Amino acid sequence: MSTTTKIFGFMLVMITTFTVLLSCCSATVYKVGDSNGWTAKDGTYRDWAEGKEFHVGDSLVFEYDRNFNDVTQVSGALELEFCDSSAPKAVYNSGHDVVTLKEPGYHHFISSNQSQCVSGQRLEVLVVHDPSLPLPPPLPRKILPLGKIYKVGDSKGWNVYDSDLYNKWSEEKEFHVGDSLLFNYDNEVNDVLEISGDLEFKACDPTSPVAVHKTGHDLIRLTEPGVHYFISSKTGHCEAGLKLRVVVSVPKLSPIDRLIRWLRTFRLHHH
């Protein structure tokens, strides 16, 4: 290994260490509810969060009696509003939970004890990047398997106002990570919104989309396993049936597919 390479490697390690230390030292730890802790008090947590600026890297400390409560992180504002803990993003139940805020955006927490949540034990925080810190480096590009392209609605496209058509279309297929959905429609009268939760899907709620597509010829790649939801935001269209739910699984790769994937990864890392 050359001297130049060693020096470069040492500098890279030092810069990374400095960035991590800077992030750690500047992050703030918030005790949720202050002296009240995590309990059922109407309006307490809305008032507590108001006026605070939460940054990526900050932490929330939830203190409570684990015999009666927990901390359930849910995916959206409707789950928060209706105290729906049926599909949580994460559940904490130690009685002294430290939750680090790793991503910008809205984060929602409730108690899975329905009566406690309804009585006010729920919290929404908005997380932003700390402008005094460098942005984190982008994650390595994910190597996805080569997948199929499914034209949504087949020859009918994304235009049919039928409450069961897209449900039947989806149930007949098996979607895998790496597959793509092709939405064809008139972009003067329609669009495609990807939304985060089952309640938003059932209520046709377009207020907090994960992504918005409106070219009229949208190719959307399925990059994560799990349930994906799509609706039209146009008034009355989703309610009339222009909505799609797909379940995405991880494909089982054949030996040849695994070899191809390895070669693609090798080429990416050596260019």
Side-chain angles (χ1 to χ4, degrees), residues 19-30 52-60 73 99-107 109 125-137 139:
T19 302
V20 171
L21 289 173
L22 183 63
S23 176
C24 291
C25 295
S26 63
T28 304
V29 178
Y30 294 94
K52 292 181 175 65
E53 186 171 286
F54 301 95
H55 295 127
V56 171
D58 290 349
S59 297
L60 304 177
Q73 186 170 2
V99 181
T100 302
L101 303 169
K102 298 178 180 179
E103 297 180 352
Y106 284 99
H107 296 247
F109 304 91
V125 298
L126 174 60
V127 179
V128 297
H129 277 295
D130 187 339
S132 68
L133 295 178
L135 288 173
L139 294 173

Side-chain angles (χ1 to χ4, degrees), residues 170-229:
S170 174
E171 286 182 347
E172 293 170 352
K173 296 168 179 60
E174 189 172 319
F175 301 96
H176 294 120
V177 170
D179 291 346
S180 297
L181 302 177
L182 177 60
F183 291 82
N184 282 336
Y185 57 93
D186 182 347
N187 66 354
E188 293 185 0
V189 296
N190 256 321
D191 58 13
V192 180
L193 267 63
E194 185 171 1
I195 55 176
S196 61
D198 192 62
L199 283 180
E200 283 87 349
F201 181 72
K202 290 176 180 175
C204 292
D205 179 9
T207 56
S208 301
V210 174
V212 178
H213 309 274
K214 48 188 178 181
T215 67
H217 187 78
D218 305 319
L219 186 65
I220 301 173
R221 196 155 196 209
L222 303 170
T223 60
E224 299 288 344
V227 184
H228 296 247
Y229 303 93

Side-chain angles (χ1 to χ4, degrees), residues 70-107:
D70 61 13
V71 179
T72 301
Q73 186 170 2
V74 293
S75 59
L78 282 180
E79 282 80 2
L80 181 85
E81 181 180 351
F82 292 103
C83 294
D84 179 14
S85 60
S86 60
K89 294 179 71 174
V91 178
Y92 308 91
N93 52 19
S94 73
H96 183 89
D97 306 317
V98 181
V99 181
T100 302
L101 303 169
K102 298 178 180 179
E103 297 180 352
Y106 284 99
H107 296 247

Side-chain angles (χ1 to χ4, degrees), residues 2 10 28 48 50 56-57 60 78 88 97 110 154 156 165 176 178 204 210 220 228 231 234 253 256 258:
S2 68
F10 176 75
T28 304
W48 176 83
E50 191 172 338
V56 171
L60 304 177
L78 282 180
D97 306 317
I110 65 174
D154 297 326
K156 296 181 174 65
L165 186 141
H176 294 120
C204 292
V210 174
I220 301 173
H228 296 247
I231 65 172
K234 304 304 180 183
L253 299 178
I256 293 177
R258 282 197 292 269

